[in-house]
Amino acid sequence: MRQGPEIWIRGPVAAPEPPDRGPITPEVPRDPAPAESAGFSWIGVHGGAGVTTLAGVFGGQDCGRGWPGPGDPSSVLLVARTHAAGLTAVGRAVEEFRLGRVPTGVGLDSVALVADAPGRLPRPLAQRVRLLESAVDVHRVPWVPAWRLDGAHEGPPRGTESLVRRTRRVG
């Protein structure tokens, strides 16, 4: 049996117990405000996928490698690099969604593939991307040299119009 990335194996990690400071008033659960429930959450399927950069450029909630929290949008955009390990990880994550092995209420919107190097993908990787595209909407993010130096200050790069439309539609 194939297993997904550790995010889907481990689940959420509990916060450490705070020191005892007497009786604590329990938090009253609240429904998320409309602004909190709108939008989308970025989830990286492996370390270094580019979640923080994409959230800075396109907006949305940066969930790192964890599931959206109670106040976070439940519409998920998975993020992976276009190297072999990244494509394997995103394939496993999409399969987890297909099999319903994700938290209740969390839905897969699409996948964002961030270039792992400048230039065209080698044929074997391009074939894997086409296979992924047959199962889910895929948005390609090109190599952006400026992101290596100063982050995401210039706005969406050329060639990401479909992702811009998707994030504006969801947001």
Side-chain angles (χ1 to χ4, degrees):
M1 177 172 90
R2 291 183 2 181
Q3 295 181 348
E6 67 181 29
I7 179 176
W8 289 280
I9 295 172
R10 273 199 339 237
V13 178
E17 289 288 326
D20 187 20
R21 296 192 176 138
I24 299 174
T25 306
E27 278 189 44
V28 178
R30 63 178 180 85
D31 291 330
E36 291 175 318
S37 61
F40 53 92
S41 295
W42 299 96
I43 297 178
V45 296
H46 59 84
V51 171
T52 301
T53 299
L54 294 181
V57 171
F58 296 96
Q61 178 65 40
D62 177 350
C63 289
R65 292 187 61 198
W67 294 112
D72 297 334
S74 61
S75 181
V76 168
L77 282 85
L78 296 176
V79 181
R81 293 285 178 166
T82 55
H83 50 58
L87 294 175
T88 298
V90 77
R92 288 180 182 154
V94 168
E95 183 70 2
E96 294 295 313
F97 273 93
R98 189 185 74 75
L99 295 173
R101 296 180 183 160
V102 299
T104 304
V106 174
L108 176 59
D109 184 281
S110 55
V111 170
L113 295 179
V114 180
D116 67 310
R120 298 180 69 154
L121 285 176
R123 185 171 299 198
L125 297 179
Q127 290 171 335
R128 291 175 70 177
V129 169
R130 283 193 295 278
L131 181 62
L132 184 63
E133 288 172 333
S134 71
V136 65
D137 286 338
V138 174
H139 305 280
R140 304 281 299 273
V141 179
W143 179 260
V144 180
W147 287 356
R148 296 181 81 195
L149 299 173
D150 61 0
H153 302 292
E154 298 181 19
R158 287 181 14 187
T160 60
E161 292 77 16
S162 70
L163 187 55
V164 169
R165 284 190 303 275
R166 176 59 58 103
T167 56
R168 299 256 163 80
R169 177 186 61 83
V170 176

